[in-house]
Amino acid sequence: VAVGDARLIAARAQLTGRALAAPAYDPAVHHVHMPGVLPVIDVALAAEPVPGTPDPRNADATLATLSIAGELCLSGRFDGVVTAPVQK
């Protein structure tokens, strides 16, 4: 399960030329790992991201993704968190 901007995740997957289905994560559904499928908890960015250029307008969304992932682990729903590079 990814926690992040669903639109950005889909756009970056498209750049790789690989098909990716990114349905909204539903906690009531038991998601089984399937190649090409990545459930997403959508946390929309405030501004269009530019790789290598942190934007303070996206800080709240960045912090929210970390908070949500941490809370899901602390609740026992998820077992761990792996982050992509995080703007600092």
Side-chain angles (χ1 to χ4, degrees):
V1 175
V3 181
D5 188 294
R7 185 188 57 78
L8 177 65
I9 292 167
R12 294 303 188 259
Q14 188 175 25
L15 285 176
T16 69
R18 301 188 75 163
L20 176 71
Y25 172 72
D26 181 349
V29 174
H30 176 72
H31 293 271
V32 176
H33 173 72
M34 295 178 60
V37 179
L38 179 64
V40 177
I41 297 172
D42 188 30
V43 180
L45 293 171
E48 184 66 29
V50 177
T53 307
D55 190 327
R57 296 175 291 176
N58 289 328
D60 286 342
T62 300
L63 293 172
T65 63
L66 297 169
S67 178
I68 291 167
E71 288 173 14
L72 287 165
C73 287
L74 291 172
S75 73
R77 186 173 255 335
F78 290 177
D79 293 324
V81 175
V82 176
T83 67
V86 177
Q87 74 175 11
K88 297 175 178 101

